[in-house]
Amino acid sequence: MVSHPPISSDPKRRFDRRMSLVFAGNFVSLGIFFPFFPVWLAHEGLNGEEIGLILALQIGLRVLVCPPVLRLADRSRDRAHLLIATSVASLAAACVYTIVDGYTQILVATLVLAAVWCPAIPLSDAIALSGVRRLGSDYGRSRLWGSLSFILANVVGGIALGHLGPGGFPMVLSLTFLATVAVTLFAPRMGRPLRASPLPLSPSQEPWLPQRSLTSRLRRLAPAPDLRRLLPFLLAIALIQASHALLNGFASLVWARLGYSAMEIGCFWAIGVIAEVVLFRLAAKPLRRFGVRSFLIAAALTASARWTLLTFDLGLLGFAVLQTAHALTFAATHVSLQSLIGSSVAENRFGAAQGLSFALQTILMAAATLGGGLLYETIFSSAFYAMAAMALTAFAILLLAPQPQSEGSGGKTSEPS
């Protein structure tokens, strides 16, 4: 095992600044895509079923693309190189929206964008967790800058599209991806991911090694032993996050149908993310005190209540207040996931852990988005009751799940062979 001298605060501050910039760049594009993409699809003449299918298929494609890319990143010379490549490819794919016309072309363009864009956030999380492990960085304080840029994009995007109309969405989205490319060039270079000592898996158990028999090849599709014990918690996290499907895909349409302007809709999204920022900033101490399970139970119960209330027209003030629940339904769930991975998985397996969690979330998100689109077409906002049921299922799993145990090696690392 290689021992490392104490790390000075300067590398930590440098890492935090660069990681904050990376998160900010990645989330500015999300701040345009999430609230305004469905509105643009409706503007292009697509109905609720077609919108739901496009959203679901692009989410489902991520399951096939993202986990292999993240496993590749675990073996790369530096995860930052792959992150830069995904941002450049995403810019090129987003520009295609400026020339597409009709359902089929929009669907193909969306699938291409999903394939190249999907690894960006999990890759950023993996790099950030390396900083937590090596430098003692505070993940939440870096991640909150992503939320702040999301807010800025919500508000500025709402103003811009209020003047340009929904047809201006492709141009605005392409400009945000250009900004993402610029800031991603400053991503921290951490070198090869470090291995924990002792290794959590023997060489024969590493899931990426070639296998001879068909049975062994099929067995590679199952989670490795170090991740298998986290499955109940990862499934509960996936259910809570996937219960946001109707919010992400159709809340803007619900609010527009109720008569709220693009500016007001942008503000609703911004309020939710402001609450998210506050939680990211303050989460470290209460998370250490109460633990991952308590955070997730609070998130599941709050999500169930939030989706139930969204079936009513609460008025401008009511929706604004309800959006503050995003701090618990999304942010508490996400920071719990990163804490779980950071404390339970070796650094050279961060990508694999992020990939497994991403796959679970994406499969459920795709199903919830497709089902939500069909329900929205028939029962309008009452479709949120299905999202509440997903959150309650997560609550039941959390009550029954065994407490995960962290690796005995803690944060000790050695260079990979």
Side-chain angles (χ1 to χ4, degrees):
M1 183 181 70
V2 178
S3 61
H4 298 284
I7 304 290
S8 69
S9 59
D10 287 339
K12 177 179 177 295
R13 283 199 295 267
R14 258 196 318 272
F15 176 87
D16 287 343
R17 285 196 296 267
R18 290 192 172 199
M19 204 65 240
S20 298
L21 193 62
V22 168
F23 277 127
N26 278 320
F27 277 84
V28 70
S29 302
L30 286 173
I32 297 297
F33 189 84
F34 271 154
F36 303 115
F37 181 58
V39 176
W40 177 68
L41 293 177
H43 171 76
E44 292 294 303
L46 278 63
N47 60 37
E49 183 176 345
E50 291 171 330
I51 292 172
L53 184 60
I54 285 180
L55 294 176
L57 288 177
Q58 61 96 17
I59 292 171
L61 181 64
R62 298 175 189 176
V63 178
L64 302 177
V65 174
C66 197
V69 172
L70 293 172
R71 287 197 296 270
L72 176 65
D74 283 341
R75 293 175 284 157
S76 66
R77 296 180 63 181
D78 200 305
R79 292 184 177 111
H81 299 157
L82 202 54
L83 180 61
I84 293 170
T86 63
S87 67
V88 173
S90 299
L91 170 61
C95 290
V96 176
Y97 278 138
T98 61
I99 59 173
V100 296
D101 182 35
Y103 170 75
T104 302
Q105 293 184 17
I106 291 174
L107 173 60
V108 173
T110 303
L111 293 178
V112 172
L113 177 60
V116 296
W117 188 18
C118 69
I121 301 302
L123 274 173
S124 301
D125 285 333
I127 296 171
L129 289 182
S130 290
V132 173
R133 180 68 61 86
R134 300 190 200 183
L135 305 175
S137 176
D138 186 331
Y139 171 85
R141 294 191 182 188
S142 296
R143 174 60 176 76
L144 68 83
W145 289 98
S147 300
L148 288 173
S149 75
F150 189 94
I151 296 170
L152 182 63
N154 291 162
V155 176
V156 174
I159 295 173
L161 293 175
H163 288 290
L164 298 173
F169 168 81
M171 181 183 68
V172 174
L173 183 68
S174 298
L175 290 175
T176 62
F177 273 113
L178 181 62
T180 300
V181 171
V183 300
T184 303
L185 296 174
F186 295 95
R189 273 44 168 197
M190 303 298 288
R192 289 188 182 276
L194 302 182
R195 293 183 185 271
S197 180
L199 292 176
L201 299 177
S202 67
S204 63
Q205 292 174 305
E206 294 289 7
W208 53 76
L209 291 181
Q211 305 287 339
R212 294 183 179 179
S213 69
L214 177 61
T215 303
S216 297
R217 290 178 184 274
L218 292 175
R219 194 178 295 124
R220 292 173 62 197
L221 299 176
D226 61 331
L227 304 182
R228 202 174 300 148
R229 55 195 169 82
L230 304 181
L231 272 176
F233 277 77
L234 294 180
L235 178 58
I237 288 168
L239 283 165
I240 297 171
Q241 297 293 43
S243 74
H244 289 74
L246 208 61
L247 176 80
N248 295 338
F250 293 91
S252 294
L253 296 179
V254 169
W255 289 325
R257 185 169 170 177
L258 291 174
Y260 297 99
S261 68
M263 180 64 182
E264 290 168 334
I265 292 171
C267 287
F268 288 153
W269 283 90
I271 290 169
V273 186
I274 289 171
E276 172 185 314
V277 168
V278 173
L279 189 134
F280 279 135
R281 178 65 178 82
L282 303 176
K285 288 184 178 179
L287 184 58
R288 284 195 298 267
R289 178 176 179 182
F290 297 107
V292 167
R293 189 197 299 271
S294 297
F295 255 50
L296 291 176
I297 285 175
L301 292 176
T302 304
S304 179
R306 182 186 184 189
W307 310 141
T308 300
L309 289 172
L310 270 173
T311 61
F312 303 98
D313 184 357
L314 302 177
L316 185 65
L317 180 60
F319 281 128
V321 172
L322 186 61
Q323 281 296 91
T324 63
H326 201 66
L328 283 175
T329 64
F330 171 77
T333 305
H334 185 74
V335 78
S336 296
L337 169 64
Q338 302 309 320
S339 177
L340 183 68
I341 292 175
S343 64
S344 305
V345 179
E347 185 185 333
N348 70 308
R349 299 280 289 150
F350 283 168
Q354 297 283 356
L356 175 59
S357 177
F358 183 89
L360 288 172
Q361 291 184 41
T362 303
I363 291 170
L364 291 173
M365 183 72 78
T369 302
L370 181 59
L374 297 173
L375 289 173
Y376 173 80
E377 193 71 15
T378 56
I379 59 175
F380 186 44
S381 61
S382 294
F384 277 103
Y385 284 125
M387 304 298 106
M390 291 181 68
L392 286 177
T393 302
F395 171 69
I397 291 173
L398 290 166
L399 292 181
L400 300 174
Q403 182 68 31
Q405 300 296 317
S406 61
E407 291 292 337
S409 58
K412 294 186 288 186
T413 57
S414 64
E415 295 294 344
S417 55

